[in-house]
């Protein structure tokens, strides 16, 4: 009888552990936190479309921000390196920073070529797969060959879902599809594991974070750096957003705040 009770207790413990494991993983603090910058567009058309202003950075501001990073000794790293260091429990060498671009706009290729590469900087491009074309097609969005060129130059491509859906509002089946199909598509096209996810519009909750983990992502990022949300977790890492008119002073303040939260 004692043995039966002990077996039942073991099975119950195993079931409980399995049930709790994803929750525990989602609640794990990111062991290594680095500043993550978020960009969308670099251009001078912010004022002409007020709704876009938060997502457009003036070319001169962007150049000044990149120069600031170089002058202050920052080294751009990829999510691949961040996760690799995190799994070994060692900090990336030097002063790490991640530069990320969302949505896969074709114009981001020129920014990488003209502004990042000459400064020795690299970026992560979060693309949503429904927008990426098989070849450059004038749609305004990047193509798979262009993304492969970016990676050949040292940048990396990660996931921003399939359709840029509002993940907190979709049905469970679509949530799964957005997470899994985008990951599979990028892995098939880019020939490497996809580890990081950027939530469209930054929208996430416990269910979304859990779905990201179950879909095989090792971390996920927000679209804000609001420190009041709490400590950075693996599936809700903050990002510093730069928008129209954000000059060097705000950039430096954000970077310093980001460093203080590490
Ligand atoms: Zn987006």
């Amino acid at each position: 009888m004692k043995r039966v009770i002990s077996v039942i207790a073991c099975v119950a413990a195993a079931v409980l552990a399995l049930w709790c494991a994803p929750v525990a993983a989602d609640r794990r603090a990111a062991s290594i936190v680095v500043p993550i910058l978020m960009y969308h567009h670099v251009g001078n058309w912010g004022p002409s479309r007020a709704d876009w202003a938060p997502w457009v950075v003036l070319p001169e501001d962007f150049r000044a921000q990149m120069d600031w990073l170089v002058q202050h000794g920052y080294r751009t790293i990829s999510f691949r390196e961040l996760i690799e260091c995190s799994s070994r429990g060692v900090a990336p060498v030097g002063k790490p920073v991640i530069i990320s671009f969302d949505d896969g706009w074709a114009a981001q290729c020129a920014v990488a070529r003209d502004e990042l590469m000459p400064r020795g900087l690299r970026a992560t491009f979060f693309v949503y797969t429904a927008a990426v074309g098989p070849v450059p097609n004038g749609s305004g969005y990047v193509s798979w060959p262009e993304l492969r060129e970016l990676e050949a130059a040292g940048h990396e491509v990660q996931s921003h879902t399939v359709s840029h859906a509002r993940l907190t509002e979709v049905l469970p089946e679509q949530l799964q599809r957005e997470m899994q199909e985008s990951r599979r598509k990028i892995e098939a096209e880019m020939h490497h594991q996809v580890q990081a996810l950027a939530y469209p519009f930054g929208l996430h909750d416990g269910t979304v974070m859990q779905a990201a983990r179950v879909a095989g992502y090792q971390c996920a990022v927000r679209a804000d750096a609001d420190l009041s949300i709490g400590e950075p977790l693996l599936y809700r890492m903050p990002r510093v957003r730069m928008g129209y008119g954000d000059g060097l002073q705000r950039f430096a303040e954000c970077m310093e705040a980001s460093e203080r939260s590490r």
Side-chain angles (χ1 to χ4, degrees), residues 102 126 158-161 167 196-200 202 219-222 239:
D102 283 13
F126 285 107
Q158 301 281 358
S159 172
H160 199 29
T161 73
L167 297 179
L197 171 76
Y199 301 120
C219 67
V221 295
R222 293 154 34 192
R239 286 192 292 171

Side-chain angles (χ1 to χ4, degrees), residues 31-250:
S31 59
I32 296 168
V33 179
V34 305
I36 305 172
L37 291 161
M38 177 183 72
Y39 293 98
H40 287 72
H41 299 277
V42 177
N44 51 16
W45 47 275
S48 62
R49 292 188 52 185
D51 52 331
W52 276 97
W55 317 109
V56 185
V57 176
L58 279 167
E60 56 266 38
D61 285 339
F62 184 77
R63 288 186 203 110
Q65 292 165 12
M66 296 302 103
D67 286 339
W68 189 95
L69 292 178
V70 173
Q71 285 156 10
H72 286 77
Y74 279 93
R75 180 177 74 87
T76 46
I77 67 167
S78 60
F79 280 91
R80 193 176 309 121
E81 181 176 346
L82 177 67
I83 289 162
E84 204 258 327
C85 286
S86 202
S87 67
R88 290 192 293 123
V90 298
V93 294
K95 281 174 78 174
V97 62
I98 293 179
I99 300 172
S100 64
F101 282 86
D102 283 13
D103 298 348
W105 301 99
Q108 293 169 353
C109 296
V111 176
R113 183 193 63 225
D114 299 339
E115 307 298 347
L116 299 180
M117 304 298 285
R119 293 173 173 80
L121 302 171
R122 302 291 184 273
T124 296
F125 294 84
F126 285 107
V127 300
Y128 62 101
T129 51
V132 183
V135 292
N137 57 14
S139 66
Y141 288 97
V142 74
S143 66
W144 293 113
E146 288 168 313
L147 289 174
R148 284 192 280 272
E149 273 178 37
L150 284 173
E151 288 212 335
H155 305 283
E156 76 171 346
V157 175
Q158 301 281 358
S159 172
H160 199 29
T161 73
V162 173
S163 71
H164 208 277
R166 303 173 76 86
L167 297 179
T168 51
E169 298 168 14
V170 299
L171 293 170
E173 311 85 71
Q174 191 187 347
L175 182 57
Q176 269 201 347
R177 193 177 69 83
E178 294 283 348
M179 300 272 185
Q180 292 174 351
E181 283 188 19
S182 62
R183 185 162 177 260
R184 273 200 290 268
K185 178 68 175 170
I186 297 169
E187 289 183 345
E189 294 284 350
M190 305 305 295
H191 312 296
H192 66 73
Q193 202 187 352
V194 171
Q195 297 153 306
L197 171 76
Y199 301 120
F201 312 102
L203 291 173
H204 66 286
D205 56 18
T207 303
V208 172
M209 289 162 67
Q210 175 103 330
R213 192 202 66 82
V214 170
Y217 295 100
Q218 292 172 54
C219 67
V221 295
R222 293 154 34 192
D224 68 275
D226 185 353
L227 297 175
S228 68
I229 286 178
E231 63 179 330
L233 301 181
L234 276 176
Y235 292 90
R236 65 166 200 212
M237 296 169 81
R239 286 192 292 171
V240 175
R241 177 179 60 78
M242 284 294 117
Y244 204 79
D246 284 335
L248 204 50
Q249 189 179 345
R250 179 169 184 271

